[in-house]
Amino acid sequence: MPSPLARTPAAPTLLQPREDPAVADRIARSATAAGSKLRTENFPDWLEGRRRAHRFSVDRIPFAELDGWSFEDTTGNLVHRSGRFFSVEGLRVTTGQGPHREWHQPIIKQPEVGVLGILVKEFDGVLHFLMQAKMEPGNRNLLQLSPTVQATRSNYTKVHRGADVKYIEYFTQPGRGRVLADVLQSEHGSWFFRKSNRNMLVEAVGDVPVHDDFCWLTLGQIGELLHRDNVVNMDARTVLACAPFPAEETGALHTDVELLSWFTAERSRHDVHAERVPLADVPGWKRGEATIEHEAGRYFDVVAVAVQAGSREVTGWTQPLFEPRGVGVTAFLTRRIGGVPHVLVHARVEGGFLDTVELGPTVQYTPGNYAHLFGADRPPFLDLVLGADPARIRYEAVHSEEGGRFLNAESRYLLVEADEEQAPLDPPAGYRWATPGQLTTLVRHGHYLNVQARTLLACLNATAVHGR
């Protein structure tokens, strides 16, 4: 299993958070431990029991049946009457380079910062993580394992006049616990405009009451569950990626200084301009009674749903969702370089990023969107991943993307072993080899790794990937 990188004396201050090494050791111990509260083999029955305990339903509806939502007369933007939650607007993106230098699309504008928080507590000498069986309307199987708290500011300030968000006080009231990680991270830059969430791990002080839809699991148990399709949701994966693992790697192809300098150069060389425009003025997209879709039938649709969820703070509502056309493919190519595991990262431009680029996986595409392209017009490394020999696949699982805003958004996440011919040590511009440990350190700072890269990092660090 890849392990984090030992820092070199030349590493910059940014890459050396001063933290208690005992915390990292406790995190690592949890990543190899069985649980003392709920056995992993009993987890499916527990989750199914929570599914049976509540009534869940999600039905597609025409836009005219949305309650509280409407298209503005002046802009065509899809907005809520409260002025809160989020809006669907238009976006125009121009870049200085690449095959696609300008495009228009719908985008979700949600300016408020949400809290994604996992409560941690030690039992029998091992850290356990308090996870929630949470219904999200966009998940294909509805109920998945989420953080202890997964709430927008509108949720936990009760704009919706719903029930209290359980355990929110541990993450908003100082002194309720010991903060182990706290960092602002981006959400999907292709579908959100400059959206960030606060990713937190907090160790509880004193007794913690456990409500019916919550359970304690070790990081090792969560790592096992990350092998299973559509069990651990996106919000849990991004928080777990921020966990402070220990630094034990002995070398890397590029020093931390070199990696950070390369990334800074990538941010500097990309000239990206993203501006919000009226949804009604977005070319190439058409609005019907129940969908907003691209004229070529690619990318995603904007749809509307009516939701019933007995376990949520509000038990019934309607809302828009983005529904992608097809299952995504998201992969790191991997190599052992000098005996040390490395992954090939991509400095990726997405229109909704706060900065020009973030580090993403080697491949992050929905193949159907590129089926009409051939040869050099195809995205780099996509065909290599699609045609990978099963013997070279070191990890594979289907995971849902953000189920609160996206409908049936799934990606096939992979780690694929490559060789020098397939993925050379000197890769194309925009790509760089890095160790999982270097990424583990970078992710403790905001807006370095995108949400898809954080999912794969969580799979690596939570012992979800074992050497073969």
Side-chain angles (χ1 to χ4, degrees):
M1 181 191 75
S3 57
L5 173 68
R7 301 275 70 80
T8 63
T13 303
L14 173 63
L15 292 178
Q16 296 187 68
R18 293 173 179 166
E19 54 201 10
D20 184 353
V23 172
D25 291 340
R26 294 166 72 207
I27 292 285
R29 188 161 62 248
S30 179
T32 61
S36 63
K37 294 296 183 179
L38 176 66
R39 296 175 64 88
T40 310
E41 56 266 32
N42 296 334
F43 174 81
D45 289 339
W46 178 83
L47 188 64
E48 182 58 31
R50 302 322 309 155
R51 193 186 313 276
R52 291 194 303 266
H54 304 287
R55 178 177 178 269
F56 300 128
S57 68
V58 178
D59 299 304
R60 295 171 186 264
I61 58 174
F63 292 128
E65 293 183 15
L66 284 168
D67 181 15
W69 296 85
S70 62
F71 292 98
E72 288 183 328
D73 293 335
T74 54
T75 64
N77 293 345
L78 185 52
V79 300
H80 193 265
R81 64 187 170 205
S82 67
R84 302 291 294 274
F85 303 113
F86 64 95
S87 59
V88 180
E89 306 180 5
L91 188 72
R92 176 179 178 264
V93 183
T94 58
T95 67
Q97 54 193 294
H100 306 288
R101 300 196 176 194
E102 181 180 14
W103 71 89
H104 293 77
Q105 65 170 91
I107 198 83
I108 296 172
K109 179 70 169 68
Q110 186 173 353
E112 60 186 16
V113 174
V115 172
L116 307 178
I118 298 179
L119 203 58
V120 180
K121 187 171 174 60
E122 190 170 287
F123 297 100
D124 298 331
V126 176
L127 287 179
H128 287 61
F129 295 68
L130 187 60
M131 308 300 290
Q132 178 184 180
K134 187 177 182 68
M135 181 272 192
E136 293 286 1
N139 293 337
R140 195 178 297 277
N141 59 349
L142 295 183
L143 199 68
Q144 295 188 12
L145 207 58
S146 84
T148 316
V149 167
Q150 178 183 319
T152 66
R153 180 175 293 275
S154 293
N155 289 145
Y156 65 79
T157 58
K158 301 177 70 172
V159 170
H160 50 37
R161 301 193 179 106
D164 292 334
V165 174
K166 294 180 176 65
Y167 305 106
I168 186 64
E169 65 275 10
Y170 287 94
F171 303 95
T172 58
Q173 298 178 13
R176 293 302 301 264
R178 178 190 184 190
V179 176
L180 305 183
D182 190 354
V183 59
L184 284 179
Q185 298 287 8
S186 62
E187 286 214 39
H188 295 75
S190 294
W191 294 332
F192 280 105
F193 184 73
R194 298 178 181 175
K195 175 74 170 71
S196 297
N197 281 321
R198 193 176 178 189
N199 289 234
M200 303 181 70
L201 287 168
V202 174
E203 185 173 6
V205 175
D207 293 334
V208 178
V210 179
H211 299 282
D212 288 341
D213 291 319
F214 295 78
C215 68
W216 291 105
L217 298 171
T218 67
L219 195 53
Q221 290 180 289
I222 298 169
E224 291 185 49
L225 296 176
L226 282 166
H227 282 292
R228 306 179 188 181
D229 293 349
N230 288 325
V231 172
V232 181
N233 82 352
M234 185 217 77
D235 298 292
R237 301 191 306 264
T238 180
V239 177
L240 293 170
C242 299
F245 278 81
E248 296 175 352
E249 284 171 346
T250 56
L253 179 63
H254 304 288
T255 67
D256 290 350
V257 174
E258 292 169 342
L259 180 63
L260 190 61
S261 177
W262 168 80
F263 180 61
T264 303
E266 286 295 313
R267 280 191 162 170
S268 301
R269 78 179 179 90
H270 286 279
D271 185 15
V272 181
H273 297 278
E275 59 176 330
R276 293 152 55 202
V277 297
L279 183 60
D281 294 344
V282 174
W285 294 78
K286 56 185 179 180
R287 187 179 106 195
E289 293 184 358
T291 61
I292 300 171
E293 59 185 336
H294 191 265
E295 59 188 9
R298 301 190 191 110
Y299 312 121
F300 60 90
D301 298 339
V302 182
V303 301
V305 296
V307 183
Q308 293 293 323
S311 60
R312 294 288 296 261
E313 293 84 11
V314 173
T315 58
W317 70 92
T318 64
Q319 69 170 94
L321 291 171
F322 279 25
E323 182 176 28
R325 295 283 185 104
V327 175
V329 173
T330 303
F332 271 139
L333 294 182
T334 71
R335 288 186 62 180
R336 282 190 173 270
I337 302 172
V340 177
H342 285 67
V343 298
L344 187 61
V345 296
H346 179 203
R348 180 179 172 87
V349 172
E350 296 182 17
F353 283 155
L354 186 64
D355 212 327
T356 54
V357 301
E358 293 189 15
L359 296 180
T362 321
V363 166
Q364 181 189 314
Y365 303 105
T366 300
N369 293 335
Y370 303 89
H372 61 295
L373 301 177
F374 299 93
D377 292 333
R378 300 275 292 170
F381 304 109
L382 174 59
D383 292 324
L384 173 61
V385 169
L386 292 177
D389 184 339
R392 287 183 174 267
I393 297 176
R394 296 293 175 253
Y395 172 83
E396 181 176 10
V398 174
H399 294 303
S400 294
E401 304 303 333
E402 214 284 319
R405 298 291 178 265
F406 312 137
L407 180 64
N408 299 328
E410 297 172 312
S411 294
R412 180 179 169 227
Y413 280 86
L414 304 105
L415 293 174
V416 179
E417 185 179 17
D419 56 30
E420 174 65 20
E421 181 179 356
Q422 296 167 322
L425 293 186
D426 185 15
Y431 294 83
R432 199 69 147 192
W433 291 102
T435 68
Q438 287 175 311
L439 300 187
T440 295
T441 305
L442 281 174
V443 82
R444 298 174 203 175
H445 307 274
H447 304 284
Y448 277 75
L449 270 66
N450 77 355
V451 68
Q452 290 87 350
R454 296 198 302 272
T455 278
L456 286 170
L457 185 62
C459 295
L460 285 163
N461 283 346
T463 69
V465 180
H466 302 278
R468 295 195 235 172

mmCIF file of all heavy atoms in Angstrom, residues 329-333 362-363 380-389 393 412 414 416:
data_model
loop_
_atom_site.group_PDB
_atom_site.id
_atom_site.type_symbol
_atom_site.label_atom_id
_atom_site.label_comp_id
_atom_site.label_asym_id
_atom_site.label_seq_id
_atom_site.Cartn_x
_atom_site.Cartn_y
_atom_site.Cartn_z
ATOM 1 N N VAL A 329 -15.303 8.145 -16.213
ATOM 2 C CA VAL A 329 -14.122 7.311 -15.960
ATOM 3 C C VAL A 329 -13.064 8.214 -15.346
ATOM 4 O O VAL A 329 -12.668 9.223 -15.946
ATOM 5 C CB VAL A 329 -13.592 6.660 -17.246
ATOM 6 C CG1 VAL A 329 -12.271 5.952 -16.985
ATOM 7 C CG2 VAL A 329 -14.612 5.678 -17.810
ATOM 8 N N THR A 330 -12.638 7.867 -14.137
ATOM 9 C CA THR A 330 -11.699 8.686 -13.378
ATOM 10 C C THR A 330 -10.576 7.787 -12.890
ATOM 11 O O THR A 330 -10.833 6.805 -12.189
ATOM 12 C CB THR A 330 -12.417 9.344 -12.185
ATOM 13 O OG1 THR A 330 -13.517 10.121 -12.673
ATOM 14 C CG2 THR A 330 -11.474 10.245 -11.417
ATOM 15 N N ALA A 331 -9.338 8.098 -13.264
ATOM 16 C CA ALA A 331 -8.245 7.155 -12.985
ATOM 17 C C ALA A 331 -6.924 7.871 -12.776
ATOM 18 O O ALA A 331 -6.634 8.884 -13.424
ATOM 19 C CB ALA A 331 -8.106 6.166 -14.137
ATOM 20 N N PHE A 332 -6.128 7.323 -11.881
ATOM 21 C CA PHE A 332 -4.712 7.635 -11.799
ATOM 22 C C PHE A 332 -3.946 6.520 -12.507
ATOM 23 O O PHE A 332 -4.175 5.336 -12.230
ATOM 24 C CB PHE A 332 -4.233 7.679 -10.346
ATOM 25 C CG PHE A 332 -4.356 9.007 -9.671
ATOM 26 C CD1 PHE A 332 -4.792 9.088 -8.357
ATOM 27 C CD2 PHE A 332 -3.986 10.182 -10.314
ATOM 28 C CE1 PHE A 332 -4.891 10.309 -7.704
ATOM 29 C CE2 PHE A 332 -4.081 11.412 -9.671
ATOM 30 C CZ PHE A 332 -4.532 11.469 -8.369
ATOM 31 N N LEU A 333 -3.032 6.891 -13.401
ATOM 32 C CA LEU A 333 -2.007 5.947 -13.806
ATOM 33 C C LEU A 333 -0.960 5.894 -12.710
ATOM 34 O O LEU A 333 -0.617 6.920 -12.102
ATOM 35 C CB LEU A 333 -1.363 6.374 -15.124
ATOM 36 C CG LEU A 333 -2.262 6.344 -16.363
ATOM 37 C CD1 LEU A 333 -1.469 6.740 -17.599
ATOM 38 C CD2 LEU A 333 -2.923 4.983 -16.550
ATOM 39 N N THR A 362 -5.198 11.475 -13.650
ATOM 40 C CA THR A 362 -4.668 11.403 -15.012
ATOM 41 C C THR A 362 -5.793 11.505 -16.026
ATOM 42 O O THR A 362 -5.695 12.205 -17.036
ATOM 43 C CB THR A 362 -3.928 10.067 -15.226
ATOM 44 O OG1 THR A 362 -3.183 9.720 -14.064
ATOM 45 C CG2 THR A 362 -3.030 10.156 -16.434
ATOM 46 N N VAL A 363 -6.873 10.789 -15.758
ATOM 47 C CA VAL A 363 -8.040 10.739 -16.646
ATOM 48 C C VAL A 363 -9.281 11.101 -15.840
ATOM 49 O O VAL A 363 -9.498 10.563 -14.749
ATOM 50 C CB VAL A 363 -8.194 9.332 -17.263
ATOM 51 C CG1 VAL A 363 -9.565 9.145 -17.896
ATOM 52 C CG2 VAL A 363 -7.104 9.085 -18.295
ATOM 53 N N PRO A 380 -5.786 12.814 -23.651
ATOM 54 C CA PRO A 380 -4.619 11.994 -23.328
ATOM 55 C C PRO A 380 -4.944 10.909 -22.307
ATOM 56 O O PRO A 380 -5.669 11.151 -21.334
ATOM 57 C CB PRO A 380 -3.625 13.009 -22.743
ATOM 58 C CG PRO A 380 -4.051 14.318 -23.308
ATOM 59 C CD PRO A 380 -5.541 14.250 -23.444
ATOM 60 N N PHE A 381 -4.437 9.717 -22.561
ATOM 61 C CA PHE A 381 -4.479 8.572 -21.664
ATOM 62 C C PHE A 381 -5.881 7.955 -21.507
ATOM 63 O O PHE A 381 -6.018 6.929 -20.834
ATOM 64 C CB PHE A 381 -3.925 8.916 -20.275
ATOM 65 C CG PHE A 381 -2.529 9.472 -20.298
ATOM 66 C CD1 PHE A 381 -2.277 10.810 -20.022
ATOM 67 C CD2 PHE A 381 -1.450 8.652 -20.606
ATOM 68 C CE1 PHE A 381 -0.992 11.329 -20.043
ATOM 69 C CE2 PHE A 381 -0.157 9.160 -20.634
ATOM 70 C CZ PHE A 381 0.072 10.499 -20.347
ATOM 71 N N LEU A 382 -6.920 8.548 -22.101
ATOM 72 C CA LEU A 382 -8.258 7.989 -21.938
ATOM 73 C C LEU A 382 -8.345 6.587 -22.528
ATOM 74 O O LEU A 382 -8.856 5.663 -21.870
ATOM 75 C CB LEU A 382 -9.298 8.907 -22.592
ATOM 76 C CG LEU A 382 -10.745 8.364 -22.622
ATOM 77 C CD1 LEU A 382 -11.270 8.092 -21.215
ATOM 78 C CD2 LEU A 382 -11.671 9.343 -23.357
ATOM 79 N N ASP A 383 -7.852 6.398 -23.738
ATOM 80 C CA ASP A 383 -7.950 5.082 -24.368
ATOM 81 C C ASP A 383 -7.080 4.058 -23.660
ATOM 82 O O ASP A 383 -7.414 2.867 -23.620
ATOM 83 C CB ASP A 383 -7.587 5.181 -25.848
ATOM 84 C CG ASP A 383 -8.619 5.977 -26.643
ATOM 85 O OD1 ASP A 383 -9.824 5.866 -26.317
ATOM 86 O OD2 ASP A 383 -8.228 6.716 -27.560
ATOM 87 N N LEU A 384 -5.975 4.499 -23.090
ATOM 88 C CA LEU A 384 -5.130 3.593 -22.305
ATOM 89 C C LEU A 384 -5.903 3.043 -21.114
ATOM 90 O O LEU A 384 -5.857 1.840 -20.819
ATOM 91 C CB LEU A 384 -3.882 4.332 -21.836
ATOM 92 C CG LEU A 384 -2.960 3.584 -20.866
ATOM 93 C CD1 LEU A 384 -2.419 2.319 -21.502
ATOM 94 C CD2 LEU A 384 -1.820 4.495 -20.407
ATOM 95 N N VAL A 385 -6.629 3.909 -20.427
ATOM 96 C CA VAL A 385 -7.411 3.466 -19.269
ATOM 97 C C VAL A 385 -8.592 2.607 -19.706
ATOM 98 O O VAL A 385 -8.864 1.552 -19.112
ATOM 99 C CB VAL A 385 -7.889 4.682 -18.457
ATOM 100 C CG1 VAL A 385 -8.914 4.272 -17.403
ATOM 101 C CG2 VAL A 385 -6.706 5.370 -17.798
ATOM 102 N N LEU A 386 -9.294 3.017 -20.767
ATOM 103 C CA LEU A 386 -10.452 2.251 -21.224
ATOM 104 C C LEU A 386 -10.058 0.842 -21.667
ATOM 105 O O LEU A 386 -10.828 -0.106 -21.498
ATOM 106 C CB LEU A 386 -11.149 2.984 -22.365
ATOM 107 C CG LEU A 386 -11.843 4.300 -22.014
ATOM 108 C CD1 LEU A 386 -12.421 4.955 -23.270
ATOM 109 C CD2 LEU A 386 -12.944 4.079 -20.982
ATOM 110 N N GLY A 387 -8.861 0.699 -22.235
ATOM 111 C CA GLY A 387 -8.424 -0.608 -22.722
ATOM 112 C C GLY A 387 -7.452 -1.305 -21.806
ATOM 113 O O GLY A 387 -6.754 -2.239 -22.239
ATOM 114 N N ALA A 388 -7.385 -0.904 -20.538
ATOM 115 C CA ALA A 388 -6.391 -1.461 -19.621
ATOM 116 C C ALA A 388 -6.570 -2.956 -19.425
ATOM 117 O O ALA A 388 -7.701 -3.452 -19.272
ATOM 118 C CB ALA A 388 -6.462 -0.740 -18.282
ATOM 119 N N ASP A 389 -5.477 -3.668 -19.414
ATOM 120 C CA ASP A 389 -5.469 -5.085 -19.066
ATOM 121 C C ASP A 389 -5.961 -5.227 -17.629
ATOM 122 O O ASP A 389 -5.451 -4.549 -16.727
ATOM 123 C CB ASP A 389 -4.037 -5.613 -19.188
ATOM 124 C CG ASP A 389 -3.918 -7.105 -18.933
ATOM 125 O OD1 ASP A 389 -4.817 -7.691 -18.276
ATOM 126 O OD2 ASP A 389 -2.911 -7.691 -19.363
ATOM 127 N N ILE A 393 -5.044 -3.379 -13.354
ATOM 128 C CA ILE A 393 -5.954 -2.552 -12.562
ATOM 129 C C ILE A 393 -5.762 -2.863 -11.082
ATOM 130 O O ILE A 393 -6.033 -3.978 -10.630
ATOM 131 C CB ILE A 393 -7.419 -2.772 -12.988
ATOM 132 C CG1 ILE A 393 -7.604 -2.331 -14.443
ATOM 133 C CG2 ILE A 393 -8.363 -1.994 -12.069
ATOM 134 C CD1 ILE A 393 -8.988 -2.607 -14.995
ATOM 135 N N ARG A 412 -16.562 5.592 -12.667
ATOM 136 C CA ARG A 412 -15.762 4.391 -12.436
ATOM 137 C C ARG A 412 -14.359 4.848 -12.054
ATOM 138 O O ARG A 412 -13.631 5.417 -12.858
ATOM 139 C CB ARG A 412 -15.751 3.556 -13.721
ATOM 140 C CG ARG A 412 -14.976 2.265 -13.674
ATOM 141 C CD ARG A 412 -15.095 1.547 -15.024
ATOM 142 N NE ARG A 412 -14.180 0.435 -15.147
ATOM 143 C CZ ARG A 412 -13.405 0.213 -16.205
ATOM 144 N NH1 ARG A 412 -13.456 1.055 -17.239
ATOM 145 N NH2 ARG A 412 -12.598 -0.826 -16.252
ATOM 146 N N LEU A 414 -10.522 4.237 -10.887
ATOM 147 C CA LEU A 414 -9.520 3.197 -11.088
ATOM 148 C C LEU A 414 -8.121 3.684 -10.736
ATOM 149 O O LEU A 414 -7.817 4.884 -10.838
ATOM 150 C CB LEU A 414 -9.486 2.741 -12.553
ATOM 151 C CG LEU A 414 -10.759 2.230 -13.205
ATOM 152 C CD1 LEU A 414 -11.307 3.284 -14.158
ATOM 153 C CD2 LEU A 414 -10.521 0.934 -13.950
ATOM 154 N N VAL A 416 -4.563 2.366 -12.338
ATOM 155 C CA VAL A 416 -4.088 1.501 -13.420
ATOM 156 C C VAL A 416 -2.569 1.583 -13.494
ATOM 157 O O VAL A 416 -2.004 2.673 -13.662
ATOM 158 C CB VAL A 416 -4.704 1.907 -14.771
ATOM 159 C CG1 VAL A 416 -4.172 1.017 -15.890
ATOM 160 C CG2 VAL A 416 -6.226 1.835 -14.709
#
